[in-house]
Amino acid sequence: MRAIQITEFGGPEVLNVADLPDPVAGPGQLLVEVSRAGVNFADTHQAEDSYLSKTELPLVPGGEVVGRTADGRRVVALTGSGGYAEKAVAAAGMAWDVPEAVDDVTALGMIIQGASAWVLLRRSTHLEPGETVVVHAAAGGVGTLAVQIAKAWGAGRVIATASSKEKRELALELGADVAVDPAEPDLTAALIEANGGRRVDIVLEMTGGRVTDQSLRALAPFGRLAFYGMASREAPSPVQPATLLAHSTTIAGMWLAHVFQMPGDVMGTALRELFGLVADGRLRVVSGGEYGLSEARRAHEDLRARRSTGKLVLDPAR
């Protein structure tokens, strides 16, 4: 089968097309004929070996696929790795049925980005109706969905940040009340101004560096910041306990992998709710572009350079 294989760590240049043996499903596993594979920021960290979990080479990257099993089930699945290929293996417990009315891009958009937005708002920050939510990188995969979910769940105001005029316009189209340039010299003041002069209740943050630092300063008493990535590769400043006490601030970290250690079918619950919002017309996945398998390098380049919006996918047939 055709697949992308990494034999040395690095940037997009290490993604190479290779002919590899078909994977074989073992006990408790499913073999999926891949129709589309999702591309995520985590894949770029995996390629350079800077992800939270260490990676061994050689590696077929790609943690999510949608396709059909041998018995005809249409599933979206988390694979950990191996997704950038014509066929992939997933644990049976990491595959969920997809309604036929849901297209491939939407299905892939829900399993990591949608579920991440769900967990961030439902579990990490415990959004209450009427609260103000700041969504950084609001034109990205998680951001585009978080804006819509926050509105669907009754956020009083959603403030989006995005790096270009076009991306800010997209966030507004998706339901954000106001959009801000994260490059504002005083981002703290810009966020407070965007909230009518009041501090904000919730910040969803995946940029790092000064964006994290200045967002923390914009939080209202009992405000919560949930940190789920560091796209800038810049660490924020260390946070002192006194800083948290100043506004009774909560900082949370979220790595979706930990959801599977929780009791109950949290992922299944999230996907059922998300597919329900899709069916109701209250949630849609923004397609960020479809690339052939041989274009995986360009997909990573576009993602790292923030040239993309929404959900990126690979078509293994090309």
Side-chain angles (χ1 to χ4, degrees):
M1 68 170 185
R2 293 175 70 246
I4 295 295
Q5 187 179 56
I6 296 172
T7 56
E8 61 179 327
F9 293 119
E13 73 281 354
V14 304
L15 303 176
N16 296 302
V17 178
D19 287 316
L20 301 176
D22 288 356
V24 177
Q29 293 183 321
L30 299 173
L31 180 64
V32 180
E33 184 105 19
V34 179
S35 56
R36 297 291 186 278
V39 179
N40 296 293
F41 236 107
D43 301 345
T44 70
H45 287 289
Q46 195 176 51
E48 65 185 15
D49 199 26
S50 63
Y51 195 46
L52 289 172
S53 58
K54 290 301 178 183
T55 303
E56 294 184 3
L57 297 177
L59 168 75
V60 175
E64 60 180 21
V65 298
V66 62
R68 292 197 181 272
T69 61
D71 60 1
R73 284 176 61 200
R74 183 164 177 253
V75 299
V76 62
L78 293 173
T79 57
S81 61
Y84 290 11
E86 293 178 316
K87 296 179 181 179
V89 167
M94 293 291 183
W96 295 268
D97 290 325
V98 180
E100 290 296 338
V102 175
D103 62 74
D104 284 351
V105 174
T106 299
L108 286 171
M110 293 302 155
I111 194 169
I112 290 182
Q113 278 106 346
S116 292
W118 188 95
V119 172
L120 287 163
L121 291 166
R122 181 77 83 202
R123 295 291 187 115
S124 300
T125 62
H126 304 280
L127 169 66
E128 295 287 346
E131 290 189 313
T132 297
V133 180
V134 175
V135 180
H136 288 303
V142 175
T144 53
L145 297 169
V147 166
Q148 298 174 75
I149 295 168
K151 293 299 286 188
W153 287 352
R157 192 166 182 79
V158 174
I159 301 168
T161 78
S163 59
S164 70
K165 180 175 180 290
E166 293 74 21
K167 290 182 177 182
R168 292 191 289 274
E169 288 175 349
L170 172 61
L172 294 170
E173 178 191 335
L174 293 172
D177 296 285
V178 62
V180 173
D181 187 344
E184 287 281 346
D186 190 342
L187 183 57
T188 300
L191 294 177
I192 293 173
E193 180 183 355
N195 197 35
R198 301 180 305 278
R199 291 178 175 274
V200 303
D201 300 301
I202 291 171
V203 175
L204 306 186
E205 159 60 347
M206 57 81 67
T207 307
R210 62 173 289 276
V211 173
T212 304
D213 296 340
Q214 296 195 25
S215 296
L216 278 170
R217 299 187 194 114
L219 286 174
F222 295 99
R224 291 89 74 198
L225 182 146
F227 194 68
Y228 67 101
M230 200 163 61
S232 70
R233 268 70 172 179
E234 296 177 6
S237 302
V239 177
Q240 301 299 323
T243 302
L244 302 180
L245 290 172
H247 291 286
S248 297
T249 302
T250 297
I251 300 176
M254 196 286 290
W255 186 27
L256 193 63
H258 291 137
V259 166
F260 304 105
Q261 300 174 17
M262 299 173 66
D265 184 15
V266 177
M267 190 71 173
T269 298
L271 288 175
R272 284 190 292 273
E273 285 196 30
L274 293 169
F275 287 144
L277 289 173
V278 170
D280 292 343
R282 303 170 73 191
L283 181 63
R284 68 180 177 92
V285 171
V286 175
S287 176
E290 182 172 295
Y291 302 76
L293 195 67
S294 59
E295 300 173 299
R297 288 185 182 183
R298 184 163 64 86
H300 276 223
E301 288 167 356
D302 289 347
L303 192 59
R304 292 181 64 143
R306 303 186 195 181
R307 290 191 290 266
S308 61
T309 58
K311 183 64 187 173
L312 279 63
V313 301
L314 296 181
D315 179 356
R318 296 198 287 118

